[in-house]
Amino acid sequence: MNDNNTMLEVKNLQKFFPIKSGFFGRVVGQVKAVDGVSFSIERGKTMGLVGESGCGKTTVGKTILRLNSKTGGEVYFNGKEIFGLGNAEMLKMRPHMQIIFQDPYSSLSPRLPVGEIIGEAVREHQIVPPNEFDDYVTRIMQACGLQEYHKDRYPHEFSGGQRQRICIARALALNPDFVVCDEPVSALDVSIQAQIINLLEDLQKEFNLAYLFISHDLSVVQHISDTVGVMYLGNLVEFANKDEIFSNPLHPYTKALFSAIPIPDPTVRRNRIILEGSIPSPANPPSGCKFHTRCTYAMERCKVEVPVQLDKGNGHMVACHLYDDNSGSEKQPETDEASFRAIGEQYDKANENKTESNPA
Amino acid sequence: MTENKTFHTDPDEVKDPNAIQPEIHLDDVQRVKVLSPTMLVLKRFLRNQLAILGLAILIFMFAFSFLGGLFSPYRQQQVFRKYELIPKEYAAAAINKDLRYIVQTGENFSGPSLAQFVLAKNKGEPVFSAGDRDYSYTEKGEDFYLISELKVLTDVIVLAGNGRFTPAAGVELTEDFQTAALEALKSSQTAFEYGDDEYFISRNGKMNTISVAHEIALATKLVFAAYEPEAQPLLNSLDFVEQAQLALINDADSFAVGGVLYRIVIDEDSAIIYRSQDDEDHPFASVSNIIVNPISPDIFLSVDFKRTLNEAIAEGKTTFTAVTQNGTEETFTINRVHETYTVYAQRTSQLIDMYAPPSNEHLLGTDGNGMDVLTRLMYGGRISLLVGFVVVFFEVILGVLIGGVAGFFGGIIDTILMRIVDLFNSIPFYPIVIILGSVMDTLKVNPYARIFILMTVLGLLGWTNIARVVRGQILSLREQDFMVATEATGIRISRRIFRHLVPNVMPLLIVQATLALGNIIIIEATLSFLGLGVKYPIASWGNIINAATNLHVMTSYWYVWIPAGILIVLTVLGFNFVGDGLRDAFDPKMKR
């Protein structure tokens, strides 16, 4: 896996948050926010990471940037284990991997002018010589759709979309190889979403960026991603390239999730898969396959045995006993693949129309 | 953003086509004036009328306290004095009921001898003894006694009409004396005269002792007063008083002492003795039964004064006019207590100008120490404000340091530091400060050192609030995305703290500090009022109000303590208005 094209490789990443209680802060339990996640991202590619709220998407994003400590597993960035780096080395590594936050309001310091917000880290890491500093910041701002005179303004003078552009400019000013986009558009209205998505795509082409695009908005993920991972309760249940996963979702959870994508065509009949109950607490996850409490195909085995990632061809990984050849069960999901494919195609078309009608 | 609306409608710039570039978006209009958050806060603050009022009050207080002292013509501890006519004790007079003794120069007649004389006089015995000396006395008139010391001349044993004389050592007896003595013995006399001297006989069985009397003192109830100071020594001499007294008793109108003739003029209760010299009579002394003495030895009371006083006493008057030794006529008042009369003269005297009412000289009057109240208020304001600022500065330093470290690093450091905060919070504030105040009283700590100790203690006990606020703010800021972003972009920790955290804590800190200032000023005033904070002679608003602990001062001299109270109230109000104004300005979402 360590070929030159792989930029980020995550192996069995775990991140548990301790639950403390009592006067002395005794650890009484652990929230298993990320419980063994493995994936990799190639240079210049985008990986979409989808899942319900609270399934650990954001924690994955922050942990692979070492903004959290990890509990277990490894994260290789350009072949280096980032948790093995010293503080000084880590500081040098920082500019290569950036993050864009969900909330553009809280992610900008209210007391600094925009030019300073964007340029501060540039100066800190001496990305450009001091005499080129102003021009460089201007260039980055213009690339992100901001004007030079915005430099002296303060975040409160900007709208949500502009703020998100500032966040993107801040991340890109460091000339990164890899950007974690932590639901960068979910706080924005749809027209601005399209602008930002297009901006991210343009910048990706221009600077050859790799993205980890975390979202719960499947249509956006479908639009931007090259590969898609589906998370459920701290686990990556399915991982495949975009076309494969949208046309042929294997995991029952993925199927349920994808069936919830709204289709902007009232004539199409939809086969919604309604999941019963709500997501279990990550502090006390179900045994075996974590999805078995809500899975329509749950078997006795699911309650006991933790499913392993199975390669079903073309790098399509799925963690489900249904596809375990040794399971003895040949029972296939009832939802037929053809209908999913149809849904996916229609959705694609609708999405393209929407993006084109709202040029950035 | 609503704050900027007023700037949107600048017509010149809107109509300038060159100013608007084609790619500018609607909300990017360049004409929007750029306001930094600090300027926005300032604008909002200045729009708050209460805050402006508070600011005006504070500016006045600072000018009053720190500049006022420079313009005040008086010093902080300058005591003002005034000159006033007050009755001062001038002389004392008493009707003499006791015998006064005039003792022969060079003789000793006092203590036990006097007591023995009084005993003997009351018993009617003509002879008495004190120690190893014998005395005799003779009553020459009413309340006039001559006291003599007896010197043993000889012992005599009389046998069948003949006397056998055994003279004392060094004494020789003449025949004539022996004959005179024998005659007196035979007729059982106790005293006889021979020549100029008087001899006394005391019997002890067959043994008779003959002694010679030698005058050593006289006792009289009359009081002799001299007209001229030079006459005084003579009036204390036994000889003169005896002769004068004898003349008075015998109703003689003159007597001679030392070859000088004195004439007596009797006038009701008193008599005047004139000294005849060169055929002219000069008033020499007066005689009465009233003793008049000056209060201090530098006052000489003339006989005229004494006579006038005597008359006034006799007539029961309370005032009289007399000429003093300086030759000026003065009015005196008499105050009688039992048989004693005290004479008061009006004298100008320097007094501390206490509780002077407001005047042009002292706009707010003077206090109980005669110091100018307005000037004290100025210097007191300095101390009160200075204590407030130093204490709050100290609190902020400690609070930011401890709260900041606890909030930024969190975990076990946070737990330990916050427990220390709890510990400090559970120290009962007033008992500690009051005990400390009394300890400093006992140790007689210098008033200036007290201020520093007070500031340190107030600071040490007060930082916890700020530490908590700062810690809470930093804890919440630390989790904000923009702080995560600074970590993600790899900015140094020091820069993260000082560029990102501190500016965001500042607003809260400024508000807290401003409100704490008002609080500290009240605490300082309370302690000084209780006499435990800033001490006299240093002024502070609190110890100026302390004057009101005296009911009389509180009701009669409002100008001493009301202004200090008003200043404290205004200053604290000012700080609170400004603090509230700053809080509202920093947090535009919090609208009333």
Side-chain angles (χ1 to χ4, degrees), chain B residues 125-384:
Chain B
E125 290 172 2
V127 180
F128 63 94
S129 59
D132 54 355
R133 292 181 179 208
D134 293 325
Y135 301 92
S136 76
Y137 69 91
T138 47
E139 189 170 3
K140 297 283 185 173
E142 193 189 345
D143 293 329
F144 174 50
Y145 304 90
L146 272 173
I147 302 161
S148 307
E149 187 179 351
L150 296 181
K151 211 172 177 184
V152 175
L153 271 184
T154 176
D155 290 338
V156 187
I157 297 168
V158 182
L159 284 171
N162 282 327
R164 207 172 74 207
F165 290 84
T166 318
V171 177
E172 279 185 26
L173 302 171
T174 58
E175 284 291 315
D176 288 352
F177 175 77
Q178 290 186 2
T179 318
L182 210 56
E183 234 160 82
L185 283 167
K186 279 176 185 164
S187 54
S188 299
Q189 285 174 316
T190 54
F192 67 95
E193 280 182 25
Y194 176 81
D196 287 339
D197 293 323
E198 193 176 14
Y199 297 88
F200 290 85
I201 302 164
S202 59
R203 290 197 173 78
N204 187 7
K206 297 255 183 219
M207 179 69 80
N208 299 290
T209 308
I210 295 174
S211 311
V212 67
H214 164 62
E215 272 178 26
I216 59 161
L218 68 80
T220 175
K221 284 190 177 172
L222 289 181
V223 178
F224 288 78
Y227 269 78
E228 305 289 338
E230 303 84 62
Q232 198 63 47
L234 198 56
L235 292 181
N236 286 335
S237 78
L238 183 67
D239 210 22
F240 179 88
V241 175
E242 187 184 346
Q243 291 307 320
Q245 191 97 34
L246 285 172
L248 280 168
I249 289 166
N250 301 331
D251 285 335
D253 58 358
S254 66
F255 63 92
V257 174
V260 182
L261 186 72
Y262 297 90
R263 294 200 309 107
I264 300 171
V265 178
I266 296 189
D267 177 22
E268 286 178 44
D269 291 345
S270 59
I272 299 174
I273 298 170
Y274 294 91
R275 179 189 176 119
S276 293
Q277 204 170 10
D278 306 335
D279 299 332
E280 273 177 61
D281 287 349
H282 302 283
F284 183 73
S286 81
V287 185
S288 75
N289 64 340
I290 294 178
I291 314 173
V292 180
N293 279 321
I295 287 297
S296 74
D298 56 326
I299 299 172
F300 173 74
L301 299 176
S302 66
V303 169
D304 276 344
F305 176 87
K306 290 182 179 174
R307 282 171 55 80
T308 330
L309 175 59
N310 289 354
E311 283 162 20
I313 289 172
E315 289 162 27
K317 286 200 252 176
T318 54
T319 56
F320 68 96
T321 311
V323 178
T324 60
Q325 69 196 70
N326 306 330
T328 53
E329 191 162 275
E330 266 188 56
T331 306
F332 297 90
T333 51
I334 303 171
N335 184 24
R336 179 186 167 180
V337 178
H338 304 300
E339 295 294 325
T340 320
Y341 301 84
T342 313
V343 180
Y344 291 96
Q346 293 292 323
R347 285 280 176 272
T348 49
S349 159
Q350 197 190 44
L351 298 175
I352 290 175
D353 196 4
M354 282 165 73
Y355 301 121
S359 62
N360 282 339
E361 212 176 323
H362 304 292
L363 288 176
L364 287 173
T366 59
D367 63 9
N369 297 310
M371 299 175 184
D372 185 63
V373 172
L374 188 64
T375 308
R376 297 277 290 171
L377 284 177
M378 289 168 178
Y379 284 91
R382 258 185 216 189
I383 293 290
S384 293

Side-chain angles (χ1 to χ4, degrees), chain A residues 116 120 124-125 149 156 162, chain B residues 1 28 489 492 499-500:
Chain A
E116 186 61 23
E120 188 182 18
E124 184 88 4
H125 293 288
Y149 63 82
H156 68 265
Q162 283 176 313
Chain B
M1 293 298 275
D28 282 354
T489 49
R492 293 190 302 267
R499 282 287 284 183
H500 294 263

Side-chain angles (χ1 to χ4, degrees), chain B residues 283-515:
Chain B
F284 183 73
S286 81
V287 185
S288 75
N289 64 340
I290 294 178
I291 314 173
V292 180
N293 279 321
I295 287 297
S296 74
D298 56 326
I299 299 172
F300 173 74
L301 299 176
S302 66
V303 169
D304 276 344
F305 176 87
K306 290 182 179 174
R307 282 171 55 80
T308 330
L309 175 59
N310 289 354
E311 283 162 20
I313 289 172
E315 289 162 27
K317 286 200 252 176
T318 54
T319 56
F320 68 96
T321 311
V323 178
T324 60
Q325 69 196 70
N326 306 330
T328 53
E329 191 162 275
E330 266 188 56
T331 306
F332 297 90
T333 51
I334 303 171
N335 184 24
R336 179 186 167 180
V337 178
H338 304 300
E339 295 294 325
T340 320
Y341 301 84
T342 313
V343 180
Y344 291 96
Q346 293 292 323
R347 285 280 176 272
T348 49
S349 159
Q350 197 190 44
L351 298 175
I352 290 175
D353 196 4
M354 282 165 73
Y355 301 121
S359 62
N360 282 339
E361 212 176 323
H362 304 292
L363 288 176
L364 287 173
T366 59
D367 63 9
N369 297 310
M371 299 175 184
D372 185 63
V373 172
L374 188 64
T375 308
R376 297 277 290 171
L377 284 177
M378 289 168 178
Y379 284 91
R382 258 185 216 189
I383 293 290
S384 293
L385 291 173
L386 208 65
V387 167
F389 271 95
V390 172
V391 169
V392 167
F393 183 74
F394 192 47
E395 281 182 7
V396 165
I397 297 276
L398 263 180
V400 167
L401 221 64
I402 293 178
V405 167
F408 189 79
F409 293 102
I412 187 84
I413 296 175
D414 181 32
T415 311
I416 292 171
L417 289 177
M418 283 304 112
R419 293 301 81 73
I420 293 174
V421 166
D422 289 343
L423 198 73
F424 270 89
N425 261 352
S426 54
I427 295 175
F429 179 78
Y430 276 103
I432 282 279
V433 182
I434 288 172
I435 290 169
L436 192 89
S438 7
V439 167
M440 287 196 289
D441 276 354
T442 318
L443 296 179
K444 294 190 169 58
V445 176
N446 159 351
Y448 289 93
R450 269 185 93 106
I451 297 179
F452 288 101
I453 295 173
L454 184 76
M455 292 194 291
T456 314
V457 171
L458 288 186
L460 273 179
L461 292 178
W463 59 270
T464 51
N465 202 20
I466 286 176
R468 276 193 171 166
V469 166
V470 168
R471 175 211 173 231
Q473 183 75 0
I474 285 184
L475 271 185
S476 87
L477 283 174
R478 202 174 59 144
E479 299 304 317
Q480 296 247 325
D481 283 345
F482 73 84
M483 285 311 293
V484 181
T486 57
E487 194 184 350
T489 49
I491 291 168
R492 293 190 302 267
I493 287 188
S494 60
R495 201 176 165 82
R496 270 151 68 189
I497 293 176
F498 292 110
R499 282 287 284 183
H500 294 263
L501 275 182
V502 171
N504 284 296
V505 177
M506 254 356 233
L508 203 71
L509 205 61
I510 291 171
V511 172
Q512 283 287 323
T514 316
L515 296 176

Side-chain angles (χ1 to χ4, degrees), chain A residues 67 94 98 101 106-112 116 120-121 124-125 149-150 152-154 156-157 159 162 170, chain B residues 1 27-30 32 34 36-37 40 481-482 484-485 487-492 495 499-500 503-504 507:
Chain A
L67 295 174
R94 287 282 182 207
Q98 284 301 307
F101 294 98
S106 73
S107 54
L108 298 175
S109 177
R111 312 221 146 248
L112 288 178
E116 186 61 23
E120 188 182 18
E124 184 88 4
H125 293 288
Y149 63 82
H150 286 148
D152 299 326
R153 301 207 171 169
Y154 287 86
H156 68 265
E157 296 173 87
S159 68
Q162 283 176 313
R170 172 173 62 192
Chain B
M1 293 298 275
D27 51 352
D28 282 354
V29 193
Q30 241 176 323
V32 174
V34 179
S36 71
L40 277 178
D481 283 345
F482 73 84
V484 181
E487 194 184 350
T489 49
I491 291 168
R492 293 190 302 267
R495 201 176 165 82
R499 282 287 284 183
H500 294 263
N504 284 296

